[in-house]
């Protein structure tokens, strides 16, 4: 069974009554509930736990890590980021959600600013499937709507995705690359846009479907472990 660790900053749910009303069990609670219902072996971890709940033992027992952060990216310890980074290169899947675009781990893996446009107006978002053969699109149909969301708009300063699966349109006219796949080392990374803390996005069936599909995609097949560094010839070299 695929082992997923759902990581959440879990600060705004504790300090902002508007957010707590939407996510009484935390954003991680809603994401974990969806993944458990989809048959994954799920644990959660949050910023204010020792080592942010991401000890080496936890990371070693994690096939896919999901990441939601917003107001406290700077509080994430660089040593933990390094451990997560190495695990991704070694094959752990990583699903970066919404404002996780500015997390230390995503920016490190992308190597760009990851900046974008944004607007909090509770507008309609329509998410289009633009790569219908991709496993992350399974069961989504042509498109689906989130009635109220924060807008994220282009330009999104990330490297061109290896595969672009989803594109968002917003009522205000903006568009955004909402479902981006990357390979880094042996790891698979999926960035998925929706999930502002004042909207019940992570309870929506289609959103849960995308995250579950991404968790499956990110962990199998696992590929093979590459070899780097000084290399002896495998066959006799021609005398020269
Ligand atoms: Zn947001």
């Amino acid at each position: 069974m695929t082992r997923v660790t759902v990581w959440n900053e879990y600060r705004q749910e504790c300090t902002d009554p508007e957010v707590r009303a939407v996510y009484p069990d935390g954003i991680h609670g809603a994401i974990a509930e969806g993944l458990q219902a989809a048959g994954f072996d799920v644990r959660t971890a949050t910023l204010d736990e020792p080592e942010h709940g991401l000890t080496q033992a936890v990371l070693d027992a994690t096939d896919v890590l999901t990441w939601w952060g917003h107001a406290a990216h700077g509080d994430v310890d660089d040593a933990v980021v390094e451990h997560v980074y190495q695990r991704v290169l070694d094959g752990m899947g990583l699903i970066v959600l919404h404002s996780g675009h500015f997390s230390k781990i995503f920016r490190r893996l992308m190597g760009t600013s990851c900046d974008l446009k944004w607007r909090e107006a509770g507008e309609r978002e329509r998410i289009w499937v633009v790569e219908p053969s991709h496993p992350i699109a399974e069961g989504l149909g042509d498109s689906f709507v989130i009635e109220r969301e924060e807008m994220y708009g282009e330009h999104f300063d990330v490297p061109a995705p290896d595969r672009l699966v989803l594109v968002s349109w917003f009522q205000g006219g903006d568009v955004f690359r909402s479902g981006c796949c990357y390979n880094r080392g042996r790891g698979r990374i999926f960035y998925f846009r929706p999930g502002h803390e004042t909207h019940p996005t992570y309870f929506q069936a289609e959103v849960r479907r995308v995250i579950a599909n991404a968790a499956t995609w990110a962990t199998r097949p696992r590929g093979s472990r590459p070899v780097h560094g000084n290399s002896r010839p495998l066959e006799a070299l021609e005398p020269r």
Side-chain angles (χ1 to χ4, degrees):
M1 190 184 281
T2 301
R3 302 162 298 176
V4 183
T5 299
V6 175
W7 191 87
N8 181 21
E9 186 176 285
Y10 195 39
R11 290 267 177 92
Q12 287 165 291
E13 298 97 319
C14 303
T15 59
D16 185 338
E18 187 188 0
V19 178
R20 186 163 56 238
V22 178
Y23 291 107
D25 299 320
I27 287 171
H28 56 293
I31 294 168
E33 181 185 80
L35 285 165
Q36 274 158 357
F40 292 92
D41 176 6
V42 184
R43 76 166 87 198
T44 63
T46 56
L47 178 62
D48 290 325
E49 296 172 41
E51 293 185 56
H52 314 320
L54 298 176
T55 61
Q56 193 64 53
V58 168
L59 291 172
D60 288 344
T62 297
D63 300 309
V64 180
L65 177 66
T66 75
W67 194 279
W68 196 101
H70 178 215
H73 294 310
D75 292 353
V76 177
D77 194 276
D78 289 338
V80 172
V81 175
E82 176 66 24
H83 292 155
V84 172
Y85 180 79
Q86 293 300 335
R87 273 288 292 141
V88 170
L89 296 185
D90 193 41
M92 182 181 73
L94 178 67
I95 301 173
V96 176
L97 297 165
H98 189 59
S99 39
H101 72 92
F102 259 166
S103 62
K104 287 182 180 179
I105 183 61
F106 190 60
R107 293 171 75 170
R108 172 135 187 226
L109 285 161
M110 296 296 105
T112 56
S113 77
C114 301
D115 210 349
L116 45 74
K117 283 200 192 76
W118 58 276
R119 173 172 65 240
E120 287 188 48
E123 64 201 271
R124 185 181 311 124
E125 174 177 14
R126 183 175 288 276
I127 300 182
W128 289 96
V129 172
V130 296
E131 184 73 71
S133 67
H134 199 280
I136 293 175
E138 188 171 299
L140 295 180
D142 200 26
S143 72
F144 65 94
V145 169
I146 301 174
E147 280 301 333
R148 294 188 183 280
E149 252 295 349
E150 179 184 13
M151 185 283 290
Y152 277 7
E154 297 285 343
H155 175 248
F156 184 20
D157 184 25
V158 287
D162 298 322
R163 300 290 290 273
L164 177 63
V165 183
L166 305 170
V167 169
S168 288
W169 166 92
F170 293 88
Q171 218 171 346
D174 299 89
V175 296
F176 192 76
R177 288 169 288 169
S178 271
C180 302
C181 299
Y182 298 94
N183 298 323
R184 291 290 184 271
R186 208 156 65 107
R188 292 180 172 188
I189 301 157
F190 185 61
Y191 174 80
F192 185 42
R193 193 218 76 83
H196 189 64
E197 64 272 10
T198 58
H199 300 297
T201 300
Y202 294 120
F203 294 104
Q204 185 169 332
E206 295 95 333
V207 170
R208 289 183 165 188
R209 181 76 189 250
V210 171
I211 295 170
N213 286 350
T216 300
W217 167 81
T219 190
R220 289 193 184 84
R222 298 190 60 88
S224 71
R225 192 180 301 275
V227 177
H228 297 126
N230 185 269
S231 185
R232 295 162 58 102
L234 302 180
E235 300 178 29
L237 298 175
E238 296 289 327
R240 21 184 332 182

